[in-house]
Structures are given as C-alpha cells and as structure tokens.
Amino acid sequence: MMRRAAVIALVLCAPAQAAPADGWVTHPDAVSVSGPVVLHFRHVLDVAKVPKALPVMVTADNRFILFVNGRRVATGPSTGTLAHWREESLDLAPYLKPGRNVVAAAVWDFVRRATNGQPPEAGALPPQIAPIHQQSAGLGFRMTGEGLATGDAGWRAKIDTGHTAANGRAQVPRGRYYVASAPEVIDAAKADWNWAGASESGGWVDAVPALEAANRTLIADSLPQQSFAPATPGVTVRSDLAGDFPKHRLNVPANTHTRILLRREAMISGYPELTVSGGASATIKLTYSEALYDADLKKADRDLVGDRQALGIYDTFMPDGPRRSFMPLWWRTWRYAELDIQTAAAPLILESLRVHETSYPFKQVAHFISSDPQLNKIWQVGWRTALIDAHETYMDSAYWEQLQYTGDTRLQMLISYAVTGDPRLARQAIEAFAESDVEGGLEQGAYPSRSDNVIATFSLAWVGMLADWSMEQPDTALVVRNLPRMRTILKWFEPWRTADGLLGKNPQWNFIDWAGPKGNNRDTFPATGADGGSCLMTVSWLGALRQGAALETAYGDKAQAAVDTARADDARAAIRAHCWDKSRGLFADTSDFKPLSQHMNILAVLYDVATPEEAAAILDKITVPGHGIDAPEDLYTSTYYFAWYLIRAFENAGRADRYPALLQTWRDLLALHYTTWPESRGETRSDTHAWSAHPTADLLGLVAGIRPAAQGYARLRVAPNLGDLTSLDAAAATPKGKVSVRYAIKGDSLTAEIDRPAALPGEFVWKGKSYPLTGTHSRFVLPR
C-alpha cells in the first residue's frame, strides 16, 4: 500500500515456560547459527504397496517446501499469526512408489537476527530480513501422518551451509521503503545438491525436539496451495555478449564481467530457475526490477531501455563447476531481470532460465471484450495486477512490502468476487484483521505482520469490507461473528468528538490518501481546524456508522443499529453546520473552511451529507472534464486508490453514466506501457499496486452493469453504462454462478442478451426502466 513513516518492530518471543515440543523438530546445532538459516529434513518411508491415500498435516517456522522422491509437492504454511498458525493438509499417496520413498523438506528462518556471535551495539538491533508479514516463534518443522510423524524417530536434519539470505533494504534504490522478501545467496560449493535424493551424503543427524517452536496455536489451512506454473522468461534487450539467451545457451568466457538484461512482455510473480554449468568460482547476481531507472533514479515509459538500469533486490548464485540449477526459496516480482556475471578462471555456460509463475490459484470466470480496445486493455492490466498481488494474503505490492493492508484489501476483494467468485482469500483477510486488537479496540493497518502500524481510519475501512461481504456473499455467519468486533471499532472514535460534534485528532495515523501539501503528509492531512475538529475524519466515521447500522439491522442488534444511526445523524448535522462553505458550494476539510479536498466532498456525496441537489453540483466542481479523476488545482486530488470512492460517489448520486469518462486517467497510463497499475501518480515507487486495479471490477459492475441487488447476492441487477461502446461481451462471477451479457448497438437500437443462473432472479435496467429477467436467457431490443 504505502511507505510507513513509523514502524516499531515487535519482538515475538516465546513464553518463559516452554511448552512440550508437540512434534516440532529442528537441527541440534540450529540455535547456534547466527542469522538466516536453511535446514533440510528427510525421512525414508518404505511401503510394500502404494496406499489409496496418505494424509499428512505439515507446517514449519518460518516456511517449508516439501518434496517426495525429489518431486516438489507443496509449500507453506500459508501466512498466519502465532495465534492462528496454519497447517497444510496434503495427500502424499500420488507421489509414492512401491518400496523406498524419501519425504524431504527445506525449512528456513530468515526472521532471526544476524549477531555473528557478538552482542549488538547499545541501542541497536541487526535487521530482521524476512518479509515483515512473517511472524515467528522459533525455527522448526512439524508433520503428522502414518509413518511420517516428526514426533517419532526417523527424521534426519542437516544445516544447508551453502544457502543464506541478505538484507533487501540495502539493495533497493535509496529512499525506497522495502520490507518484502529477503534476497538469497547460494554457494554451490557448500550446498548439498542431493539432500532430497535417494541416499544421504555426510552431515546428517537425527532431528531433535524444537521446544520454542511449539509456542503457537495450530489451525487447519483453509486456503489452497499457491500456483506453480511454467511461464516465459522474457527476451534479451541488452547484452555485452553476442547471443540470444535464454532462447539459446550462452557461453561466458573465463575472467569476464558481463551483463545481460532481460525483459518480459508483462510483470510477473514467480520463481526464477537458472541452470548453468562450468564457471567454478564465478559469481552471478540476478537483479529483479519492475521498471528501469535513469541516472537520477527516475522511471519513464516502461518499455524504454536505452542506458537505463535495472535496480532492486538481487539473488547471488556461485557456481562450482558441475551442472547446477539455482532457484530461491521465495518468489520474486519483476518485469526486467539482469544477469551480472563475473567469471574466474573457468568459462561459464548459461544453459537455461525457467520461470515458475505463482499466485493465489484464482480461476478466472469473468471476461470483458468490448468495441474499445483500450477498455479491454484496462480490464486485463487490472486483473494481472490483482493476480500478482494475491498470494496467501492479499498484498499491497508484491515487490516492495507484500503486506495485507485494510484499505487496499477492501478493493482487491471486490475484484476477486467479480472475476472469480472465490471468497476464501477474502474470508482470510476479514478474520485476520479482526484478530488484531490494538490501542483499545482498533485493528492493525496491515496484518499479519510482526510490526506495529495502527491506522485508525483503516479500521473504518474494515467495517466497509464487512458491508461489502454482506452484499456480495451469502455466508452471513462471518458477518454475525464479527459484529462485536465492529462495535468495538465504531465505539472507539466516540471519545474523540469535540464540543461542536466533529471528531478531533486522535493519536494514531489517520490515513485517508496520499494527499496534502506534499502529497503524502501524515501530519497535515486530514487537517484539523482551530476548534480541533476534522470534517474529513468525521465523515469517514459517519460512513462506517451507516454501514454498521445496516449490518446490525440485518444480522444483529436493532437497538445498536438505532444508536449507530443516531451517531451518524449527529455527525451529519455537525458537518453541515460547521463544514459547508456556502460561497464555494463545497464541504471544507475543517470548520476554518481550509483546506479543500476532493476527498471530503467525495465522502459527503457518498454518505449523503450533501443533499441530492447539492451532490450533482459538487461532483462537477471537484472533477475536470476530459481529465479523468483529476481535481481542480485548488483542491487536493485523489490518488488512483481513493478514486474508487469518487466512483462510488458518482454512482450514489445517480451519475454512473460518467464512469467511462473517469477512466481517462487509466487510458493515459496505457501510453506509458504499464503492464500492471502503479501505486501513485508521477514518480511512483511501486509499479504493481492492486489498489489501483479497481476498474477491473467496475468495468463489470458499472459498464457491463452486473451487480448484486440484495444482500447475499440474493438478486441480480443488470444496469449497463455503455458510453460510446457499440458492442460488449462480458461475464461476471456470482455466488450462484456466472452471469453473461452481450450488448450490441446498431443505429437507434440496443440489443441486450443476458444469461443468468436459474437460482438468481433479477432485472435488466435501461434508461431508467426495469425489465424482469423471466428466464435464464433473456433478450431485449430497446431504443438506444
């Protein structure tokens, strides 16, 4: 989502009284290893006949990759917390053969700090280089299952002295906030290349109980395994050597320093696998970059190469002569990859570069194919962005932070619902945020995480997330069990009301958007007036109160709904009394009538603080015709993220027909050859930011017009806003199945065909008139 101005590291320590090991094992010398460590485990399983099933439960801290007979089977555990640590449920039978079988796992801990045997300097701690989302109680591995339980004898362990990790923050361009995956270093001469093979080499010992690792609560993982599928590695766009790697093998002479820059057609999250031979004592650095930088660390057209540089994290591989395949334990995100090679006395052969794409295994149901190629491209780029930023959690940015932020995730969930119909990752997110409980009732702004980052306004976004679920999904139990958590959040803001009824400044980060005097000033946006009140904070709370009241009415306590409604009404009255600048016809951010922001007026329209008569004029004043989502120069303008709320405001005001014009902003981005949507305007840090991908959902919901018309998606409403389109073929997922629409405009007529699941009743709305969908297939010919 964002660069955080203040992060306080939480040290996740085990309780003083260690629990029994409960099947957790480790290497007896692992505790003495300073800094990042990789362990290998193996167990020989003899079977006379392959069973029909061999169910196991497996987990690790930090993570594992499981192999059976040298075949990669699974990774995990899915990202969780010490209070909800996930176990993967697997069936190993399909990977077995009669006779001798080897079950093996690579397990690593990159959270532990590198001390090099020395205490840190006073007041300083060495960096924890694992992704900040990774919690840890202590290194360990655990499996249960017939003949394979780690609590029983037979498991062996070995420290991989040839594999470690580095600090990614030291590798990215200066000033860029980075807390994602750790770059890895693999020294082939020290590694055991047959650790998962049929027989042991030297250095293996019996695994021992890992008491510290047992200090957590295990739960079954409800998420599927992440995808692991072959993808194209890209093509050479610049090289010091003649040749066409990776299409063909490439010889690198002895005592040579060379660079080879590769570019993929589009951004990817995946595991690179580089296979080489020869080149003993060579060093290969594989750098991953979303875009290329000039000498001033600026980006431009994302296809532009010239003398621009690939800058970012890099893995380091050190060949030892034999044929070796190098692959990091954790996936990377890139469009550009650069091989920086220094050979020694032996020449090196680059044999191949394979890429294994990974993401949450969403199955695409939706499509959007219109008469406007740019709209089609906007839909596709958004879906690619959403996929790259969806793994075991939603992620704000797959490259820079890999964190699940509430504000970002709310928008990502809506894309998942519309494109795939799979609610599992969304359910994970709602429950994860609810688990975090800080500052007397708020939630962490990003979770899971081992850092403290309380964003008060993101707790309000979680209420919106719950409201979205209630419309999009039929599972009411999730809403009901989270109502008490919602009440705590809404009540938390009550003591911050000032005498005039506006919310005053609370001590947390009150992020609304990257806006303000410098575009990202957390101290001055949202602003407070001389009376200490903030109109923008108040309207944000008001919106959540309205959402909470609706949820209470439908699923909870109607008396509480009345309380929330009364609070919201009081907040609306205070805003109208103190924030309406009659001379401008706009709502100001404070009672001092300054500053003025697009944001305040968006929310005033969205949450009905503005009257219907005021709303239309406000929306005209806060946007500039022909300039997409841009605000006039005297208003703070929205980022791509907050534009989602702008779109909702237009929709709430009955002006959804303006949506195609707002997409001019994304059309402009296409001219820069983005293959995923960026984080922010101008010189953006992140090129893969899913909070900017919401047009993929809204092209289905507003342009194709496929939306829920009742809670739980119990009814369907198809109300297209076609703009200048002459044809559109689209489909969207619903909990009851796919809804497909086809529109064709010819002359003065619209022909509309709609296919819906039999269990999903609905209506078609065109030019303000409703037509019932009487069958699973409906066809209408109507005046344009």
Side-chain angles (χ1 to χ4, degrees):
M1 182 205 101
M2 63 193 69
R3 184 184 306 110
R4 293 168 295 175
V7 177
I8 303 170
L10 297 181
V11 180
L12 301 172
C13 298
Q17 182 63 43
D22 192 28
W24 286 87
V25 294
T26 186
H27 188 284
D29 297 331
V31 69
S32 63
V33 177
S34 172
V37 62
V38 178
L39 299 184
H40 291 152
F41 294 91
R42 58 183 283 132
H43 188 287
V44 174
L45 180 69
D46 289 309
V47 295
K49 180 181 179 182
V50 174
K52 292 183 177 179
L54 181 57
V56 299
M57 299 291 288
V58 59
T59 190
D61 185 342
N62 302 165
R63 300 185 59 83
F64 71 84
I65 303 175
L66 187 69
F67 293 80
V68 177
N69 294 324
R71 181 178 174 185
R72 185 181 176 118
V73 171
T75 64
S78 294
T79 303
T81 67
L82 296 183
H84 296 86
W85 196 270
R86 302 179 190 279
E87 284 189 294
E88 308 299 312
S89 177
L90 305 170
D91 180 9
L92 301 189
Y95 309 97
L96 300 179
K97 64 182 188 297
R100 179 185 174 89
N101 296 268
V102 176
V103 179
V107 175
W108 65 95
D109 179 1
F110 292 169
V111 171
R112 60 171 59 197
R113 300 181 187 275
T115 63
N116 299 317
Q118 301 295 323
E121 296 180 8
L125 285 174
Q128 292 178 320
I129 61 176
I132 200 71
H133 68 247
Q134 180 68 60
Q135 296 191 8
S136 177
L139 174 64
F141 176 62
R142 185 180 190 270
M143 180 182 285
T144 60
E146 185 177 355
L148 288 170
T150 46
D152 299 335
W155 279 94
R156 304 273 283 167
K158 184 176 182 179
I159 297 174
D160 184 352
T161 58
H163 201 147
T164 186
N167 184 359
R169 275 164 280 182
Q171 296 181 358
V172 298
R174 63 179 182 271
R176 271 66 167 182
Y177 182 72
Y178 184 88
V179 288
S181 53
E184 298 175 34
V185 180
I186 303 176
D187 185 342
K190 298 179 180 178
D192 181 352
W193 290 93
N194 193 44
W195 66 271
S199 59
E200 289 184 5
S201 58
W204 289 88
V205 299
D206 290 337
V208 298
L211 298 179
E212 186 180 51
N215 293 315
R216 72 192 78 219
T217 300
L218 297 176
I219 63 169
D221 190 0
S222 61
L223 300 180
Q225 279 287 304
Q226 303 297 291
S227 65
F228 188 80
T232 57
V235 298
T236 296
V237 292
R238 190 174 65 212
S239 178
D240 297 333
L241 296 175
D244 191 9
F245 182 79
K247 186 176 181 180
H248 302 292
R249 294 175 14 148
L250 183 65
N251 294 326
V252 182
N255 301 309
T256 298
H257 180 225
T258 189
R259 290 188 176 94
I260 304 166
L261 180 64
L262 308 176
R263 181 176 68 199
R264 296 194 74 260
E265 186 67 23
M267 199 82 71
I268 193 171
S269 286
Y271 295 87
E273 183 180 4
L274 178 67
T275 300
V276 305
S277 58
S281 301
T283 299
I284 304 170
K285 292 181 180 179
L286 180 54
T287 299
Y288 312 96
S289 190
E290 293 176 302
L292 299 181
Y293 298 80
D294 66 15
D296 296 321
L297 298 183
K298 305 292 186 183
K299 305 176 189 177
D301 186 315
R302 268 42 180 185
D303 280 355
L304 186 61
V305 178
D307 61 354
R308 292 172 173 269
Q309 299 299 311
L311 303 175
I313 66 165
Y314 55 84
D315 292 317
T316 303
F317 306 138
M318 291 176 276
D320 62 340
R323 188 174 189 269
R324 304 297 192 197
S325 290
F326 296 92
M327 184 166 66
L329 298 166
W330 189 247
W331 49 267
R332 310 299 184 211
T333 299
W334 76 97
R335 188 179 177 208
Y336 290 88
E338 184 174 67
L339 289 160
D340 184 320
I341 304 168
Q342 176 63 64
T343 56
L348 173 74
I349 300 175
L350 299 178
E351 297 197 4
S352 66
L353 176 64
R354 297 199 298 164
V355 174
H356 309 274
E357 187 170 14
T358 189
S359 69
Y360 182 90
F362 283 123
K363 304 299 182 185
Q364 181 182 331
V365 174
H367 65 263
F368 185 94
I369 305 169
S370 77
S371 56
D372 185 336
Q374 282 195 331
L375 283 190
N376 302 341
K377 186 74 169 179
I378 288 170
W379 192 88
Q380 293 160 2
V381 171
W383 176 229
R384 182 183 301 116
T385 308
L387 266 181
I388 289 174
D389 285 341
H391 295 266
E392 297 159 358
T393 65
Y394 291 104
M395 293 180 175
D396 65 324
S397 56
Y399 191 101
W400 295 93
E401 296 186 49
Q402 299 179 354
L403 279 169
Q404 181 170 255
Y405 282 94
T406 323
D408 309 53
T409 297
R410 183 184 181 190
L411 277 54
Q412 291 170 273
M413 289 163 64
L414 293 171
I415 300 171
S416 302
Y417 299 152
V419 179
T420 75
D422 185 342
R424 290 175 290 179
L425 198 60
R427 182 183 292 111
Q428 166 276 138
I430 291 172
E431 301 283 27
F433 290 123
E435 175 194 333
S436 68
D437 191 342
V438 290
E439 299 296 336
L442 294 178
E443 298 172 344
Q444 293 283 3
Y447 208 69
S449 177
R450 64 178 188 277
S451 72
D452 190 28
N453 189 22
V454 184
I455 305 174
T457 43
F458 272 16
S459 291
L460 299 176
W462 180 83
V463 178
M465 186 185 293
L466 207 60
D468 296 339
W469 175 278
S470 75
M471 284 298 295
E472 298 278 354
Q473 299 299 324
D475 178 9
T476 60
L478 182 142
V479 178
V480 171
R481 68 174 172 266
N482 280 293
L483 288 177
R485 189 71 185 89
M486 180 188 76
R487 293 167 191 147
T488 303
I489 289 169
L490 294 176
K491 187 177 180 180
W492 187 92
F493 290 86
E494 179 72 25
W496 299 102
R497 295 180 69 182
T498 62
D500 59 12
L502 299 176
L503 282 187
K505 186 177 180 64
N506 68 67
Q508 305 306 323
W509 188 7
N510 295 293
F511 177 85
I512 299 292
D513 196 11
W514 290 126
K518 297 181 181 179
N520 63 352
N521 196 320
R522 66 182 285 171
D523 297 320
T524 59
F525 188 80
T528 53
D531 60 359
S534 169
C535 306
L536 186 48
M537 282 296 298
T538 307
V539 74
S540 300
W541 184 47
L542 182 157
L545 286 168
R546 296 278 192 225
Q547 293 161 340
L551 293 174
E552 293 283 11
T553 299
Y555 310 108
D557 184 342
K558 290 182 173 56
Q560 184 61 48
V563 171
D564 291 342
T565 299
R567 287 175 176 166
D569 290 345
D570 289 345
R572 181 180 187 273
I575 293 169
R576 290 203 62 85
H578 300 287
C579 309
W580 175 247
D581 185 345
K582 187 175 181 179
S583 66
R584 295 289 302 272
L586 294 171
F587 287 91
D589 287 18
T590 73
S591 59
D592 301 334
F593 292 172
K594 60 183 181 181
L596 291 172
S597 71
Q598 205 180 42
H599 309 75
M600 177 64 207
N601 289 279
I602 287 169
L603 298 183
V605 172
L606 176 58
Y607 298 137
D608 297 319
V609 176
T611 66
E613 295 76 21
E614 293 165 344
I618 288 172
L619 291 173
D620 286 340
K621 290 177 180 179
I622 66 172
T623 52
V624 180
H627 289 267
I629 65 174
D630 290 355
E633 290 184 0
D634 57 342
L635 272 67
Y636 294 151
T637 195
S638 299
T639 62
Y640 310 130
Y641 159 66
F642 208 82
W644 182 84
Y645 292 90
L646 174 64
I647 293 159
R648 304 283 77 75
F650 272 98
E651 186 179 14
N652 188 57
R655 302 184 69 184
D657 60 313
R658 287 281 301 276
Y659 179 62
L662 298 175
L663 288 173
Q664 183 60 46
T665 299
W666 281 264
R667 293 180 188 271
D668 293 343
L669 289 173
L670 289 177
L672 293 173
H673 297 106
Y674 282 99
T675 65
T676 48
W677 297 129
E679 177 180 16
S680 55
R681 300 167 184 262
E683 199 53 42
T684 182
R685 172 191 59 152
S686 168
D687 269 18
T688 311
H689 233 75
W691 75 359
S692 303
H694 49 83
T696 292
D698 281 334
L699 284 168
L700 299 173
L702 293 180
V703 177
I706 305 168
R707 298 291 290 274
Q711 286 180 319
Y713 223 129
R715 287 187 58 81
L716 169 69
R717 185 174 189 264
V718 180
N721 295 279
L722 298 177
D724 295 329
L725 295 180
T726 57
S727 67
L728 174 60
D729 181 339
T734 81
K736 295 180 180 177
K738 182 168 71 173
V739 173
S740 300
V741 298
R742 290 165 300 283
Y743 306 119
I745 290 179
K746 188 173 183 180
D748 293 330
S749 294
L750 164 75
T751 300
E753 294 187 69
I754 302 167
D755 292 287
R756 64 172 178 86
L760 183 60
E763 62 177 343
F764 175 65
V765 179
W766 181 250
K767 301 301 180 184
K769 187 174 180 180
S770 176
Y771 305 86
L773 300 175
T774 55
T776 57
H777 176 79
S778 299
R779 186 174 187 272
F780 304 94
V781 180
L782 301 169
R784 178 176 179 180

